[in-house]
Amino acid sequence: MLQVRDLVAAYGPIVALHGVSLDVPEGSIVAVLGANGAGKSSTLRVISGLLRAKSGSIKFDGQRIDHLSTEQIVSLGMSHVPEGRQLFGDLTVLENLRLGAYSRFGQADGGGRLAHRQGLSLLGRLQHDLIQAATGGIRDLARAVREHGQRRRDFDAALKQIFDYFPILAQRKNQVAGTLSGGEQQMLAIGRGLMARPRLLLLDEPSMGLAPLVTREIFEIVQTINRTEGVTILVVEQNANLALEIAHYGYVLETGRVALADTSENLRKSEAVRRSYLGQ
Ligand SMILES: Nc1ncnc2c1ncn2[C@@H]1O[C@H](COP(=O)(O)OP(=O)(O)OP(=O)(O)O)[C@@H](O)[C@H]1O
Ligand SMILES: [Mg+2]
């Protein structure tokens, strides 16, 4: 599904990636491990178009995406849940989720206000279109009404799905994001990413700053999303133990290069990985 080849990327004079290649097969969970500063976040940033590569290529569903904007990449079916969550702290849970849906559903999430506005303009247009009915104007109108209804239903379905996975978000839907606990904020960040209905979800350190039990709960939900929705997952993690428990395949980055690549099972058995990343 995702093929990354020889990515070189830099921040001004600082070269963060020296030629990173990796593959994410459809339906899989792939983990990217590595120490602080190894280039894990930079790799995700380049993939989602937030950072331009100096060279190398990225293919998503066989199509080159390395020159597309982040917005275009999201619309192809990829969401990025960034390091540190990056929620809108002053906005409510529901408002944050609406923003996640924007790329996919447009203004369908505007709710009553939008429906009202459309209703009024429809009335005005209806008179005009009655006259023009013979020319097909009515058909366009009917289609516009149908499409808006469909977007609204898709949005409601996406929201319901996220509340099913994270019931606490439903309970807190009118609370401002900044006052949620760390675990709830991570759930909201993942939920916001899922609102775009991605086929590939990039997760950057979902465990950061969270207690082990909450981390485990989040990883279990991520695994369920992968299994039941078929969402492919590329997850960056410091917690190598947990990441390798749910991942099928893993890459270890060291100073902007892939040092190891193998199945999770083999990485967990590897002496080097055990010593450096599993604390064993
Ligand atoms: N905005 C930036 N400006 C300059 N240098 C940066 C910037 N972001 C990252 N870097 C540098 O790029 C390198 C890779 O950073 P990156 O954030 O990708 O690492 P990481 O593996 O995600 O680390 P961590 O585990 O700490 O999140 C580091 O040397 C870092 O200092
Ligand atoms: Mg990082």
Side-chain angles (χ1 to χ4, degrees), residues 11 14 16 34-43 45 83 204-205 238:
Y11 301 91
I14 301 167
N36 291 123
K40 305 181 298 295
S41 297
S42 302
T43 301
R45 283 217 194 80
E83 189 173 359
D204 197 342
E205 303 222 26
Q238 292 267 351

Side-chain angles (χ1 to χ4, degrees), residues 171-191:
Q171 288 173 32
R172 302 297 169 95
K173 66 182 181 206
N174 296 317
Q175 186 172 328
V176 292
T179 60
L180 295 173
S181 75
E184 290 160 0
Q185 290 194 16
Q186 185 60 54
M187 292 176 192
L188 177 55
I190 295 174

Side-chain angles (χ1 to χ4, degrees), residues 81-265:
V81 181
E83 189 173 359
R85 289 130 210 178
Q86 315 291 344
L87 296 168
F88 297 95
D90 294 339
L91 299 185
T92 65
V93 167
L94 202 53
E95 285 164 343
N96 272 279
L97 291 173
R98 280 181 175 156
L99 287 169
Y102 193 82
S103 63
R104 180 171 174 106
F105 303 116
Q107 295 189 348
D109 58 320
R113 250 179 312 125
L114 183 80
H116 183 66
R117 229 177 24 241
Q118 286 235 340
L120 288 182
S121 68
L122 284 182
L123 269 182
R125 277 174 57 192
L126 200 56
Q127 292 174 346
H128 173 75
D129 283 327
L130 279 174
I131 301 163
Q132 296 212 344
T135 67
I138 283 291
R139 267 206 311 277
D140 290 347
L141 190 65
R143 196 180 60 221
V145 171
R146 255 197 330 270
E147 281 175 2
H148 180 260
Q150 185 58 45
R151 282 205 304 272
R152 180 75 220 183
R153 281 191 294 279
D154 288 349
F155 173 81
D156 289 343
L159 195 62
K160 180 179 180 305
Q161 183 191 47
I162 283 149
F163 287 162
D164 284 347
Y165 282 120
F166 304 108
I168 188 80
L169 295 182
Q171 288 173 32
R172 302 297 169 95
K173 66 182 181 206
N174 296 317
Q175 186 172 328
V176 292
T179 60
L180 295 173
S181 75
E184 290 160 0
Q185 290 194 16
Q186 185 60 54
M187 292 176 192
L188 177 55
I190 295 174
R192 189 180 59 184
L194 287 173
M195 282 303 287
R197 290 266 166 122
R199 287 175 297 114
L200 174 63
L201 188 64
L202 312 181
L203 294 176
D204 197 342
E205 303 222 26
S207 78
M208 191 190 272
L210 303 184
L213 266 180
V214 179
T215 304
R216 181 163 288 280
E217 186 188 344
I218 287 175
F219 269 70
E220 276 167 10
I221 296 169
V222 167
Q223 190 171 39
T224 307
I225 290 166
N226 167 257
R227 284 187 181 156
T228 58
E229 315 294 331
V231 176
T232 306
I233 295 182
L234 178 60
V235 57
V236 159
E237 252 305 327
Q238 292 267 351
N239 188 334
N241 249 322
L242 207 48
L244 291 177
E245 250 177 58
I246 69 161
H248 304 102
Y249 206 85
Y251 291 83
V252 178
L253 289 190
E254 272 173 25
T255 55
R257 291 184 177 82
V258 175
L260 280 169
D262 211 331
T263 61
S264 297
E265 209 188 329

